[in-house]
Amino acid sequence: MIAVTKTFLPPQEEYNSYLKRAWDKVWLTNRGELTIELEEKLKTFLNSSSIIITNNGTIPIQIALKLFGNGGEIITTPFSYVATSAAIVWENCTPVFVDIDPDYLTIDESKIEAAITSKTTAILATHVFGNPCHVTEIEKIAKKHNLKVIYDAAHCFGVKYNNESVFNYGDVSTCSFHATKIFHTGEGGAMFCNDAETYHKLYYSHNFGHNGPLAFHGLGINAKISELQSAMGLAVFPYINHIFAERKKVVDFYNKNLDLQKVKILKIRENTEWNYSYYPAIFDSEKTLLKVIEALAKENIIPRRYFYPSLNTIDYTKGKEMPISESIASRILCLPLYVGIAQEDLEKITQIINTQIQ
Ligand SMILES: *Cc1c(COP(=O)(O)O)cnc(C)c1O
């Protein structure tokens, strides 16, 4: 089967050589040497102000909302993975959706102010498919209304905006290192911030609130990554530039060979160094999309409807209508994109799609 993605695995001996260090020390979690080493390497590679690695990419969103949401209304995007909305509801806050830009697919910053009320405490926006939100405008709005900004940057490993890591924007940014993401630790994630006080709160929150073994700074949870996961991250890390380069080739192939008169693709925001994390294709109607899915399935090619459904239509979010997000969600398909996908498969995929959309 050809799926939307395929996890990049390093040579097993290389993973084992990191595991051996955990065995030798008999140390499997609680910020061991592998986790510290991975944090250092990623911080340098990303040129980020700070990083705390976590056990997945959802818990950092929850921690940020716990610190800054205060049970209030959170302005958010309806076009993201369900974790974004679910984290808001899980933390007893209320999602208030703002529709997306039809080209960039990120929250439409020009519609944010109209959604702000006296109960609004934060903005939680997703840099969809690694495409940055309009971070400068969002920062301006947040300052004016005294709101915190949290970015779900789950897709953004390696993305730069205005020559700096996109993780450096917002009060807190989060990333996912899930096995389906561009850089991974099997399960894992990270949170980033620029400010020492926020870092301190994020840090103790991710480790039960501990202030030393016997005292507590405040409420916390267990968001620690294990050494076994960090070993995977360390084994994948040396291949990261190879991963970007191979994925770029696939993206270039699709761009060159798909009929872009009939399929709309993602518009990357200006001044962005993108990471080739996803290849969303937007069709003219859901009918065409379903035709394409059916034709691909006959060849055992199974892409994913990222993101569907629009998050404002899920029972528990109780969102208002979001015409652009709902329309895009019904017509968008992420095409197979991973290191090692065969040239003949790419040719087959583009041929099938080009035939179905005529
Ligand atoms: C993958 C993803 C998450 C969740 O990350 P996990 O590591 O799976 O918990 C959150 N938001 C978005 C947009 C994602 O794609």
Side-chain angles (χ1 to χ4, degrees), residues 151-343:
Y151 286 115
D152 180 344
H155 304 164
C156 292
F157 192 90
V159 172
K160 285 189 185 157
Y161 181 66
N162 284 337
N163 285 323
E164 71 171 309
S165 170
V166 79
F167 297 138
N168 289 350
Y169 293 90
D171 292 284
V172 177
S173 274
T174 68
C175 190
S176 167
F177 300 160
H178 185 261
T180 56
K181 302 299 204 283
I182 199 157
F183 169 80
H184 78 91
T185 55
E187 289 273 3
M191 40 196 183
F192 303 84
C193 68
N194 292 315
D195 161 73
E197 194 188 329
T198 303
Y199 178 83
H200 174 64
K201 288 181 182 165
L202 292 174
Y203 188 88
Y204 75 67
S205 299
H206 104 295
N207 183 23
F208 299 106
H210 269 293
N211 177 14
L214 303 177
F216 300 92
H217 291 289
L219 181 64
I221 196 164
N222 181 3
K224 287 174 282 113
I225 195 167
S226 80
E227 290 289 272
L228 309 178
Q229 294 162 291
S230 292
M232 177 60 82
L234 285 167
V236 171
F237 180 73
Y239 295 93
I240 192 68
N241 285 323
H242 168 71
I243 293 172
F244 291 136
E246 290 298 305
R247 297 176 72 104
K248 178 176 188 302
K249 285 188 205 161
V250 179
V251 167
D252 289 345
F253 181 90
Y254 282 137
N255 283 344
K256 193 157 160 242
N257 292 282
L258 280 174
D259 180 354
L260 298 185
Q261 304 292 346
K262 298 270 170 66
V263 186
K264 193 175 142 173
I265 59 171
L266 183 64
K267 183 174 176 193
I268 304 295
R269 196 175 295 281
E270 305 69 21
N271 303 319
T272 301
E273 218 173 285
W274 190 47
N275 63 357
Y276 310 96
S277 48
Y278 295 84
Y279 198 94
I282 307 170
F283 301 99
D284 63 347
S285 67
E286 186 167 30
K287 197 167 150 238
T288 308
L289 170 112
L290 294 173
K291 254 172 56 183
V292 168
I293 290 177
E294 198 186 322
L296 290 170
K298 282 195 187 124
E299 298 292 329
N300 212 12
I301 299 164
I302 314 291
R304 271 293 288 264
R305 294 185 71 175
Y306 284 145
F307 291 106
Y308 180 87
S310 185
L311 298 173
N312 58 301
T313 65
I314 292 178
D315 288 359
Y316 61 75
T317 64
K318 302 184 193 78
K320 285 198 204 119
E321 274 181 34
M322 294 284 129
I324 299 171
S325 175
E326 287 171 48
S327 166
I328 300 267
S330 72
R331 299 183 281 126
I332 194 166
L333 190 65
C334 279
L335 304 186
L337 168 55
Y338 50 85
V339 178
I341 190 168
Q343 185 71 18

Side-chain angles (χ1 to χ4, degrees), residues 121-176:
T121 51
I123 299 168
L124 169 56
T126 301
H127 301 309
V128 185
F129 306 131
N131 200 23
C133 298
H134 197 314
V135 289
T136 45
E137 186 59 29
I138 291 174
E139 188 177 331
K140 228 196 274 169
I141 295 165
K143 277 224 170 85
K144 180 170 160 199
H145 296 274
N146 198 21
L147 305 175
K148 294 287 185 180
V149 180
I150 303 160
Y151 286 115
D152 180 344
H155 304 164
C156 292
F157 192 90
V159 172
K160 285 189 185 157
Y161 181 66
N162 284 337
N163 285 323
E164 71 171 309
S165 170
V166 79
F167 297 138
N168 289 350
Y169 293 90
D171 292 284
V172 177
S173 274
T174 68
C175 190
S176 167

